Amino acid sequence: MSVAESPRTHEEPAAEDDVKRQGRANLPRLHAVKNNSPEPELGPNDEPAPFNAALELVRAASDALERMRVRCREVEAFAQQEIEYHRAQLATADTVIRELDTKTAAHEESIRQLQAQADADMEERQRLQRALDEMRSAFERSQELLHAAEGRATAAEAWLGRLHSEIASAFSELPTSPGKPLALGSK
């Protein structure tokens, strides 16, 4: 058998060339590589389908990567907006808390002042109550003295009444002569 007649020997070099071409086709070519060897000329049956498919995959991956970068930038922008929004919310909450703290401190100060005023009012009330109690005691003593004075006045009035009646009775017992003056102290 001659080499030309053997189908096996003719197919083997072609199969090896296909494997080499497929291996090279699977490698992405992003930049042209300069070498001195001329590129193998492709025949009408040799299509660069694996290389084109790989190139399309690289392009699709590049496009997907670019879309992901755009999406990442959108997400970063959204996240930044959210961060700014939450910072603004925190600043507002902080301001509200400070205002509430200020109001609370003012209310506490007002409460302390009111408590001090209430304590002063209570002391004044107690002082006035003591003064009122003293005045009541003095009034009661005055009433007692008045009752005692009224009793003495009534007794004096009764004594004066008796004295008056005794004087009247003594004068009525005196002899009266028409021409003689009344001599006091002599009978």
Side-chain angles (χ1 to χ4, degrees), residues 134-171:
E134 289 172 5
M135 289 174 68
R136 183 176 293 128
S137 296
F139 175 73
E140 288 172 356
R141 280 193 308 270
S142 296
Q143 275 189 329
E144 289 172 4
L145 291 174
L146 181 64
H147 288 305
E150 283 177 350
R152 285 193 302 264
T154 305
E157 208 173 84
W159 183 79
L160 280 175
R162 282 190 311 257
L163 179 66
H164 186 276
S165 54
E166 284 187 24
I167 290 174
S169 108
F171 274 115

Side-chain angles (χ1 to χ4, degrees), residues 77-171:
F78 178 74
Q80 188 62 36
Q81 289 174 349
E82 286 292 310
I83 288 169
E84 292 301 321
Y85 171 75
H86 289 295
R87 279 185 183 155
Q89 291 294 320
L90 286 173
T92 303
D94 189 47
T95 303
V96 168
I97 288 170
R98 284 188 184 145
E99 289 174 359
L100 288 175
D101 285 345
T102 303
K103 287 180 181 177
T104 301
H107 285 237
E108 288 174 355
E109 182 61 30
S110 297
I111 289 170
R112 279 193 289 273
Q113 289 175 355
L114 289 172
Q115 185 65 42
Q117 182 64 37
D119 291 344
D121 290 346
M122 180 61 76
E123 289 176 10
E124 180 66 18
R125 183 180 171 276
Q126 289 173 350
R127 187 186 65 78
L128 289 173
Q129 185 65 41
R130 284 191 301 270
L132 180 64
D133 290 343
E134 289 172 5
M135 289 174 68
R136 183 176 293 128
S137 296
F139 175 73
E140 288 172 356
R141 280 193 308 270
S142 296
Q143 275 189 329
E144 289 172 4
L145 291 174
L146 181 64
H147 288 305
E150 283 177 350
R152 285 193 302 264
T154 305
E157 208 173 84
W159 183 79
L160 280 175
R162 282 190 311 257
L163 179 66
H164 186 276
S165 54
E166 284 187 24
I167 290 174
S169 108
F171 274 115

